[in-house]
Amino acid sequence: MLTTNPFDDDTLHEECGIFGVSGSEGAAALVALGLHALQHRGQEAAGITSLDQGHFHTHRAMGHVAGNFDRDEVIRSLPGAVAAGHVRYSTSGDTALRNVQPLYAELQSGGFAIAHNGNISNAMRLRRELVRRGSIFQSTSDTETIIHLVATSNYRTLLDRFIDALKQIEGAYSLIVMTPEGMIACRDPLGIRPLVMGRLGDAVIFASETVALDVVGATFERSIDPGELVIVQGDTIRSVRPFPQVSARPCIFEWVYFSRPDSIEGDRSVYDVRKNIGAQLAVESPVEADLVIPVPDSGVPAAIGYAQESGIPFELGIIRSHYVGRTFIQPGDKVRHLGVKLKHNANRALIKGKRIILIDDSIVRGTTSLKIVQLMREAGAAEVHMRIASPPTRHSCFYGVDTPERAKLLAAKLDLGEMTDFIHADSLAFVSIDGLYKALGEARRADIRPSHCDACFTGDYPTTLTDQDETEAVDQFAMLAERVI
Ligand code: AMP
């Protein structure tokens, strides 16, 4: 996650995937496979670090895992039974290789490699302080802050120094750390980003999602608990829980969009939850129509749920080219618009003359919905009703999901009627926040802390946002100063 200019640009927030193996010779090959399964979480760059007889080896590359980490010479250059990797998602122009993880540093205790999924919301404040005290940063990544906090900690053992560092950071972090002694995997006290543990024979595996365990043939053991550090040294595994216990707030958007539908979180399947959201949407916002059509691929499970609940047939009215990256990934509005056209085509023969219900997982800027509705109209649809399997996204995420600044979020600017007009739909409806929780088999009660972080929908951020607050304060001061002048 980058810290340069993070709040006044709509392109810097990123989501990532991490994968680690301890105790299997040729671990890097497994990590490459695991990262491949996590590619949806980050397509901009990937990196793997391995540990062999006390020596660290790293390979980092821009672009996809395939093409970079499926080459023999690359995997051979990463020997050892311990390895960790990272896929990074960023629509930022700052694509410097020095930001690609795992990050690595030589500390007093020896080598230290770290892979991070999430975003540290006080990284800029900490960085300023560290730089003032003499730290020399090598990247613009917030993750590097952790390395400097470990390096400058007054505690003696590496574990204590690491815990000391974690206690100073706020925000979201699922981490895999490699040291000469072994591997540490941990999740922030609120468990905002996912992290699971599995087994492959005697090897221990950590991954952002269970789908990556499936791909390497590992069995899913359990999720890492929020606030838990799992330490693997040779054959021994132990847990420490250094934080006061608080109720967890895992990211609800993982259920809506980010995780792969074939992943399991807790004991729930992402696919089932998405179908439930679709069914809930059908109950809350029914409409008479001939076909239910998903915006592929992200709207598919919810559309199946909507169709099953409403009894309206599910059909593939939009065909997606799999040779174009996610729409979001392309910087600049012009390319983003073009991207949507390249990516989706109407199944004309099916659409012509039909009243259709389009289902997508979310509306962010509104670019996709606008294009898709237009595509359906051009294909001769009689009516186009849009149904969205999440509540309106009204707030930016500061915990590692790529959302633009607030001013660019469609639902932050327009009310429902205006949004309907903007995308040229005959009707538009979003699942309610209560409906979303219901789909998860839970209830969102106003009198208690919700069981998830749903800040993107509600603005209820579960941590302080030091950097964001400071940036706003500076902006307000600048505005005041302008007025005075
Ligand atoms: P937009 O076109 O800006 O309204 O974005 C909505 C589309 O982008 C939907 O089809 C989503 O599947 C997808 N999407 C939503 N959130 C994200 C995200 N954080 N990163 C990438 N794609 C996203």
Side-chain angles (χ1 to χ4, degrees):
M1 178 70 216
L2 303 176
T3 55
T4 43
N5 192 21
F7 305 120
D8 55 0
D9 187 295
D10 72 330
T11 57
L12 280 173
H13 304 269
E14 57 192 80
E15 173 84 48
C16 303
I18 55 177
F19 190 90
V21 174
S22 179
S24 177
E25 259 330 303
L30 292 176
V31 175
L33 284 170
L35 292 183
H36 195 269
L38 298 174
Q39 188 77 82
H40 59 288
R41 300 182 71 87
Q43 294 138 46
E44 190 205 43
I48 298 180
T49 298
S50 74
L51 176 61
D52 185 36
Q53 300 175 25
H55 295 288
F56 288 84
H57 306 263
T58 295
H59 184 78
R60 296 186 277 174
M62 303 308 299
H64 288 187
V65 177
N68 283 308
F69 290 92
D70 49 1
R71 302 205 319 269
D72 247 7
E73 69 270 23
V74 171
I75 296 300
R76 262 188 279 117
S77 73
L78 297 165
V82 180
H86 186 267
V87 283
R88 182 185 132 164
Y89 180 94
S90 164
T91 52
S92 146
D94 186 348
T95 50
L97 208 52
R98 66 200 168 109
N99 283 320
V100 180
Q101 300 189 20
L103 297 182
Y104 177 77
E106 291 285 342
L107 305 184
Q108 200 185 1
S109 51
F112 184 92
I114 183 165
H116 172 206
N117 174 202
N119 181 44
I120 301 170
S121 54
N122 63 341
M124 291 206 298
R125 153 87 73 93
L126 289 168
R127 185 181 176 117
R128 275 198 299 273
E129 182 55 26
L130 285 158
V131 169
R132 203 181 54 76
R133 287 180 358 220
S135 289
I136 299 168
F137 276 73
Q138 304 288 321
S139 73
T140 53
S141 161
D142 64 341
T143 310
E144 194 183 340
T145 314
I146 300 175
I147 298 180
H148 291 278
L149 290 173
V150 173
T152 55
S153 169
N154 290 325
Y155 282 86
R156 201 176 56 77
T157 67
L158 181 86
L159 183 60
D160 286 340
R161 296 168 86 101
F162 182 52
I163 292 170
D164 182 35
L166 297 184
K167 287 188 169 169
Q168 295 175 64
I169 61 179
E170 75 185 25
Y173 53 88
S174 285
L175 302 170
I176 299 178
V177 165
M178 287 163 63
T179 74
E181 279 80 52
M183 185 170 272
I184 307 172
C186 76
R187 255 176 115 185
D188 64 74
L190 295 169
I192 297 179
R193 295 279 142 240
L195 190 62
V196 297
M197 181 169 140
R199 290 284 194 160
L200 181 63
D202 292 335
V204 180
I205 318 266
F206 299 107
S208 293
E209 292 180 41
T210 59
V211 64
L213 301 179
D214 296 346
V215 164
V216 299
T219 49
F220 169 52
E221 199 152 287
R222 66 180 179 89
S223 290
I224 307 301
D225 289 336
E228 178 185 13
L229 278 72
V230 179
I231 302 150
V232 188
Q233 282 174 312
D235 295 340
T236 61
I237 305 179
R238 65 195 171 98
S239 272
V240 291
R241 291 177 165 81
F243 303 100
Q245 218 181 330
V246 288
S247 45
R249 302 285 297 274
C251 166
I252 208 158
F253 203 67
E254 291 277 348
W255 294 105
V256 168
Y257 174 79
F258 239 104
S259 293
R260 242 172 74 159
D262 44 345
S263 280
I264 308 283
E265 284 181 49
D267 51 5
R268 289 173 294 205
S269 126
V270 174
Y271 180 78
D272 285 349
V273 169
R274 287 189 190 159
K275 266 178 62 180
N276 290 346
I277 303 173
Q280 180 65 25
L281 196 49
V283 172
E284 290 181 7
S285 302
V287 57
E288 255 188 53
D290 304 309
L291 303 174
V292 174
I293 290 175
V295 178
D297 294 326
S298 52
V300 173
I304 294 173
Y306 194 104
Q308 287 177 355
E309 180 64 34
S310 65
I312 301 170
F314 169 96
E315 292 285 359
L316 295 179
I318 302 165
I319 306 301
R320 175 182 163 182
S321 162
H322 285 271
Y323 307 102
V324 185
R326 285 184 177 194
T327 316
F328 245 58
I329 226 137
Q330 291 143 5
D333 271 344
K334 201 167 161 209
V335 186
R336 206 175 284 124
H337 282 264
L338 192 73
V340 178
K341 262 193 198 151
L342 285 175
K343 194 164 147 185
H344 297 119
N345 192 32
N347 186 353
R348 282 174 182 278
L350 181 79
I351 301 297
K352 201 168 179 331
K354 301 283 182 6
R355 297 169 301 169
I356 61 169
I357 304 173
L358 281 177
I359 312 275
D360 203 359
D361 66 286
S362 58
I363 290 183
V364 184
R365 296 179 185 83
T367 319
T368 308
S369 305
L370 176 64
K371 288 284 165 192
I372 295 284
V373 171
Q374 193 185 342
L375 198 68
M376 296 295 97
R377 296 223 184 269
E378 283 167 9
E383 288 172 24
V384 184
H385 302 276
M386 189 92 202
R387 295 290 178 270
I388 302 296
S390 62
T393 302
R394 293 205 173 96
H395 305 270
S396 298
C397 176
F398 299 103
Y399 303 124
V401 170
D402 173 58
T403 46
E405 58 166 313
R406 257 203 106 189
K408 293 197 175 152
L409 296 172
L410 195 70
K413 298 184 290 192
L414 307 180
D415 65 22
L416 187 67
E418 291 166 335
M419 283 195 273
T420 314
D421 292 345
F422 176 85
I423 64 169
H424 301 304
D426 291 289
S427 75
L428 168 68
F430 294 81
V431 80
S432 66
I433 187 78
D434 290 342
L436 178 57
Y437 275 86
K438 207 164 162 196
L440 281 158
E442 295 174 11
R444 191 186 202 278
R445 282 179 35 200
D447 55 332
I448 52 168
R449 268 162 74 93
S451 58
H452 284 76
C453 172
D454 52 22
C456 50
F457 307 129
T458 61
D460 171 12
Y461 293 97
T463 71
T464 39
L465 298 171
T466 302
D467 292 343
Q468 165 68 357
D469 292 346
E470 287 183 0
T471 311
E472 271 174 13
V474 169
D475 286 352
Q476 271 169 14
F477 180 76
M479 267 164 56
L480 269 177
E482 238 169 60
R483 251 183 260 154
V484 170
I485 289 164

